[in-house]
Amino acid sequence: MFNDHDQSADELLKQADIAMYHAKDAGRNTMRFFDQQMQISIDTRMAMEADLRLAVTENQFELYYQPQVNHNSQIIGAEVLIRWQHPQNEFTSPADFIPLAEATGLILPIGLWVLETACIQIKSWESDFHAQHLVLAVNVSACQFHQVDFVEQVHLVIRHSDINPERLKLELTESLVLNDINDTILKMNALRELGVSFSMDDFGTGYSSLAYLTQLPD
């Protein structure tokens, strides 16, 4: 079973443990044999997690604003896009680090920073005649939205940045909404009372229940 007989029992048990978790991820009634690529994947993930934690403390993220236009090609708002400027690499794609941030809980401080920075941008636009009408859309993760104090967090950020809450839009994914529909409705109603609006992101990629959609606040 083991080609390298120089390995210690502890090392073999670690490799067996890694193979076991890969088998669990693949579903029930299956098996996996350890190969070195599994270890490489784990090492890569651990290195990125360490870098991501450092990125949070050293504020290595940047926000970009993608214009949103109406049918007349007039800019009516923008969507926030986050990028990570890794010290040793070029910008790291959100597709690479956002899933890891969600898995490790780092999405919470990152998401709060995005919200705070976006509201600062909204405030700066107030003094610009050509931008003061723009609505800025911020993506919210499920982990972030379902925090017990999420509504209070948003309220504090709006108050501290002193913005018109009608200029802030939160983008929720379909899976987030349907994960706990009752909690979602309660929080959306509370946020609507603050003046915040919503949009549905990625609708149609999952369950796509229009019946559930009609239960949500306008």
Side-chain angles (χ1 to χ4, degrees), residues 26-39:
R28 295 181 179 273
N29 300 320
T30 187
M31 65 175 64
R32 291 290 184 271
F33 289 94
F34 174 83
D35 65 57
Q36 197 58 42
Q37 187 58 46
M38 292 180 181
Q39 186 66 56

Side-chain angles (χ1 to χ4, degrees), residues 27-83:
R28 295 181 179 273
N29 300 320
T30 187
M31 65 175 64
R32 291 290 184 271
F33 289 94
F34 174 83
D35 65 57
Q36 197 58 42
Q37 187 58 46
M38 292 180 181
Q39 186 66 56
I40 293 173
S41 297
I42 290 175
D43 292 344
T44 300
R45 184 182 187 279
M46 291 179 65
M48 179 174 282
E49 181 179 341
D51 287 347
L52 192 57
R53 291 186 184 279
L54 186 63
V56 172
T57 59
E58 295 189 351
N59 194 21
Q60 296 174 1
F61 302 103
E62 293 185 23
L63 294 188
Y64 289 77
Y65 304 96
Q66 179 173 279
Q68 296 177 329
V69 300
N70 61 15
H71 63 285
N72 291 322
S73 298
Q74 297 172 318
I75 298 178
I76 58 174
E79 179 181 1
V80 171
L81 304 176
I82 185 171
R83 296 294 183 266

Side-chain angles (χ1 to χ4, degrees), residues 8-150:
S8 67
D10 286 343
E11 185 64 26
L12 292 176
L13 286 172
K14 289 178 182 178
Q15 293 179 359
D17 202 43
I18 292 171
M20 178 190 69
Y21 280 108
H22 275 75
K24 286 184 175 181
D25 289 342
R28 295 181 179 273
N29 300 320
T30 187
M31 65 175 64
R32 291 290 184 271
F33 289 94
F34 174 83
D35 65 57
Q36 197 58 42
Q37 187 58 46
M38 292 180 181
Q39 186 66 56
I40 293 173
S41 297
I42 290 175
D43 292 344
T44 300
R45 184 182 187 279
M46 291 179 65
M48 179 174 282
E49 181 179 341
D51 287 347
L52 192 57
R53 291 186 184 279
L54 186 63
V56 172
T57 59
E58 295 189 351
N59 194 21
Q60 296 174 1
F61 302 103
E62 293 185 23
L63 294 188
Y64 289 77
Y65 304 96
Q66 179 173 279
Q68 296 177 329
V69 300
N70 61 15
H71 63 285
N72 291 322
S73 298
Q74 297 172 318
I75 298 178
I76 58 174
E79 179 181 1
V80 171
L81 304 176
I82 185 171
R83 296 294 183 266
W84 174 19
Q85 176 62 70
H86 193 285
Q88 279 76 45
N89 301 308
E90 296 181 354
F91 283 108
T92 303
S93 169
D96 293 328
F97 72 85
I98 291 297
L100 179 59
E102 292 177 338
T104 58
L106 291 172
I107 195 66
L108 299 182
I110 292 173
L112 182 58
W113 175 83
V114 170
L115 181 63
E116 291 172 340
T117 306
C119 287
I120 291 172
Q121 183 63 60
I122 292 173
K123 187 63 179 178
S124 71
W125 282 342
E126 289 183 3
S127 58
D128 186 339
F129 176 78
H130 299 289
Q132 60 189 206
H133 68 287
L134 299 179
V135 175
L136 191 54
V138 178
N139 283 282
V140 177
S141 74
C143 295
Q144 187 181 5
F145 185 83
H146 289 301
Q147 291 177 98
V148 175
D149 63 342
F150 179 70

